[in-house]
Amino acid sequence: MQNPINVAKFGGTSVANYQTICNCAQIVINNTTTKVMVVSAAAGITNHLVKLANEALSSEQITDIIEKIHQIEIAILSKIPSAQNVETKLYDLLAELESYARHEEINYRDDVKDALMSMGERMSSLLCAAILREKGANAINFDVRKILRTDERFTQASPDLAKIKLLAEQLLLPELEHKIVVTQGFVGADAQGRTTTLGRGGSDFTAALIAEAIGAKTCEIWTDVIGVYTTDPRITQHARPLPELSFEEAAEMATFGAKVLHPATMEPALRQNIKVFVGSSKEPDKGGTWIKRDCDHEPPFRAVTRRKDQVMVTVKTPKMMYAKGFLERVFHIIAKHELSVDLITTSEIAVSFTLDNPPNSMSEKMNKETLIELSNICEVTVERHLDAVTVVGNNMHSEAGVSSKIFSAISAFNLRMICFGANVHNLSFVIDESHSDEAVRALHRALFE
Ligand code: ADP
Ligand code: ASP
Ligand code: MG
């Protein structure tokens, strides 16, 4: 394909009901370069599915949740004028969903969990394609599992980039000549064809991966805010949208809690220099944020982010001073359990690090086995109810006064851990969750208002 291609992704609130999907369809139709529409599950559906997958529920409780899912999906279906064709397909998907939800090993088998978790996006893409067709577009619903090859780490799968490119060129690109393809975010398949998922919020990542695989020039992330803000607009009304951001800044913000983008979204964009746009599907005319390689300005302070539900682990041995290889043994255990450490500080006899463990994630990170193994070699303390707050910016290590400005803004707070220096784009600290809102507001006031 010669012309530039745009991939447009629409999140859960954007595809929550018939009217919001109509707004999305209009956005797709208005931009003739948009050839791929990546959709999330309708708002609320994935949380229902996580419950079905992870909680030991009675048959009545399962029925109740399934009923709620039906209501959301059928409400959309009932508004589509010529829905006969998709109606049967939607009921088939709902029946498939129920069979996984009632699977006797649903709480223990991650492969069954992922099959269940994928259903929200599969229903959503079916309905969005139908609504696009109703608006006159030549749209098809495309099963992303044909191209989005991953490893078999169910619930947290990693993409196989080479395979995805190959499969997308063979199976997706030819469709784009004359059609708009609607496909599922968040979902993939392993080499055996078993359904996998990319982790919560993974649809942004899917859009960027598809954009990379088909050589798209732009990737739009349509959501419920008019761009990436100086901080989460739910924390302070003074947050304001940013017209531009660099790939590095956006990656840093996403990693440290700006939920508007999945943390891995910037990787494909950075590799292929794909410009990423973030805007509101409800108010597309209000513009948004362009994320790109080179920005007009590189200010020392760009944004403040907050990441909730951090678990802080401190491992301590009085012998550490002399014990060569202690750190190696600790991190061997961490790596074996596939835990990803975010922040870390060390002293002569102790190391503290944080792990991310958000609610509604698919598995408990600091699990019993890891704790037992660590306790065999040292004293271990686990603290919960903590948040990480991060200031994101540029050249933070070389600009005079950066840290004093930050620390004087938050001098009233008790900080549990501070990380600064390893990365020129961020300064992070860990704080009790009951104070993090206030700390973000204090920082935002000092740095941006
Ligand atoms: P979607 O369902 O479209 O993927 P998400 O809920 O995942 O949307 O992400 C959008 C939300 O991200 C916003 O409603 C906002 O509350 C939150 N958010 C957190 N940090 C930021 C930020 N810095 N800028 C914009 N939104 C943010
Ligand atoms: N539906 C999935 C979730 O809620 C993926 C996404 O929306 O990006 O996590
Ligand atoms: Mg999201």
Side-chain angles (χ1 to χ4, degrees):
M1 249 186 135
Q2 297 303 312
N3 297 328
I5 303 178
N6 177 49
V7 174
K9 176 261 169 177
F10 296 86
T13 46
S14 300
V15 296
N17 59 51
Y18 178 77
Q19 193 45 53
T20 60
I21 300 176
C22 287
N23 297 342
C24 302
Q26 210 49 56
I27 290 171
V28 169
I29 290 167
N30 287 350
N31 181 349
T32 53
T33 69
T34 304
K35 299 288 175 192
V36 183
M37 178 188 198
V38 174
V39 294
S40 288
I45 295 283
T46 309
N47 284 350
H48 286 314
L49 296 174
V50 169
K51 266 210 167 112
L52 290 170
N54 287 353
E55 293 178 19
L57 302 168
S58 67
S59 180
E60 291 76 44
Q61 286 170 316
I62 296 176
T63 307
D64 274 357
I65 297 177
I66 289 179
E67 178 52 32
K68 288 184 184 135
I69 295 174
H70 272 242
Q71 277 170 10
I72 297 171
E73 303 296 340
I74 303 299
I76 302 173
L77 179 81
S78 64
K79 300 250 173 61
I80 305 176
S82 52
Q84 298 93 338
N85 186 21
V86 279
E87 187 170 355
T88 325
K89 289 188 179 142
L90 182 67
Y91 279 101
D92 286 349
L93 290 174
L94 285 165
E96 188 179 341
L97 184 159
E98 181 153 3
S99 74
Y100 300 133
R102 296 194 188 278
H103 192 290
E104 50 186 25
E105 289 181 302
I106 180 66
N107 294 153
Y108 312 103
R109 280 196 27 202
D110 285 347
D111 57 337
V112 186
K113 286 186 189 190
D114 266 358
L116 175 61
M117 296 292 292
S118 71
M119 297 309 302
E121 271 70 11
R122 289 175 61 200
M123 294 188 287
S124 196
S125 64
L126 174 77
L127 297 172
C128 289
I131 293 172
L132 259 178
R133 281 195 297 274
E134 184 201 307
K135 306 241 170 271
N138 183 12
I140 56 161
N141 178 25
F142 181 92
D143 190 336
V144 81
R145 293 172 296 182
K146 293 199 278 192
I147 60 166
L148 214 121
R149 177 67 58 81
T150 70
D151 62 12
E152 49 199 48
R153 282 183 33 205
F154 296 104
T155 78
Q156 274 302 331
S158 296
D160 178 339
L161 302 178
K163 264 274 152 39
I164 293 173
K165 187 169 171 54
L166 192 78
L167 293 167
E169 280 171 357
Q170 278 171 3
L171 305 172
L172 179 60
L173 267 184
E175 300 281 13
L176 306 185
E177 290 286 343
H178 305 290
K179 292 181 200 130
I180 295 176
V181 161
V182 183
T183 196
Q184 308 84 38
F186 178 57
V187 177
D190 72 1
Q192 296 177 49
R194 294 176 299 179
T195 304
T196 56
T197 62
L198 302 175
R200 295 301 310 266
S203 298
D204 305 324
F205 189 26
T206 304
L209 286 167
I210 292 180
E212 175 176 44
I214 61 175
K217 289 276 173 278
T218 50
C219 176
E220 296 171 349
I221 306 290
W222 294 98
T223 178
D224 60 356
V225 280
I226 55 172
V228 181
Y229 283 58
T230 44
T231 195
D232 186 344
R234 288 181 207 191
I235 302 179
T236 165
Q237 60 184 28
H238 300 292
R240 50 186 163 75
L242 295 159
E244 62 166 11
L245 268 180
S246 68
F247 290 136
E248 288 81 8
E249 290 171 316
E252 212 64 40
M253 287 183 71
T255 304
F256 288 96
K259 192 188 160 223
V260 62
L261 290 169
H262 180 276
T265 315
M266 287 304 126
E267 291 168 12
L270 202 138
R271 277 193 297 266
Q272 298 303 322
N273 197 15
I274 301 162
K275 284 190 186 164
V276 177
F277 173 83
V278 179
S280 160
S281 62
K282 200 169 147 204
E283 301 175 294
D285 302 334
K286 291 228 164 128
T289 305
W290 276 103
I291 306 170
K292 50 195 179 177
R293 186 174 277 170
D294 300 308
C295 288
D296 295 338
H297 303 286
E298 289 192 343
F301 304 120
R302 184 75 91 177
V304 183
T305 61
R306 189 260 311 270
R307 194 161 148 167
K308 294 193 75 61
D309 301 288
Q310 300 302 291
V311 179
M312 182 165 148
V313 182
T314 303
V315 291
K316 191 170 164 190
T317 165
K319 294 188 219 110
M320 184 176 166
M321 239 161 75
Y322 310 105
K324 281 205 187 107
F326 171 67
L327 276 184
E328 192 189 329
R329 287 161 70 197
V330 168
F331 283 102
H332 177 74
I333 296 170
I334 299 294
K336 197 173 91 186
H337 290 274
E338 296 185 345
L339 297 176
S340 120
V341 167
D342 292 321
L343 302 174
I344 178 162
T345 55
T346 61
S347 77
E348 289 216 320
I349 61 157
V351 185
S352 295
F353 53 85
T354 64
L355 306 166
D356 189 37
N357 212 160
N360 283 327
S361 66
M362 295 290 284
S363 49
E364 170 75 15
K365 292 276 172 67
M366 196 19 111
N367 54 30
K368 280 206 188 84
E369 297 100 87
T370 320
L371 269 180
I372 291 169
E373 283 187 43
L374 285 172
S375 310
N376 286 339
I377 60 166
C378 53
E379 210 178 282
V380 189
T381 326
V382 179
E383 293 170 65
R384 294 172 201 271
H385 309 294
L386 296 169
D387 290 350
V389 173
T390 300
V391 179
V392 175
N394 296 280
N395 304 315
M396 291 175 81
H397 63 325
S398 55
E399 292 260 344
V402 161
S403 47
S404 72
K405 208 160 176 184
I406 293 173
F407 289 123
S408 51
I410 47 164
S411 57
F413 298 94
N414 176 29
L415 310 184
R416 282 295 294 111
M417 177 185 194
I418 301 167
C419 288
F420 181 46
N423 184 325
V424 300
H425 293 292
N426 101 39
L427 183 152
S428 296
F429 55 87
V430 174
I431 185 168
D432 191 276
E433 65 180 10
S434 60
H435 296 142
S436 74
D437 271 9
E438 251 179 282
V440 170
R441 284 195 281 265
L443 273 171
H444 196 272
R445 247 190 325 273
L447 307 181
F448 302 108
E449 291 168 31

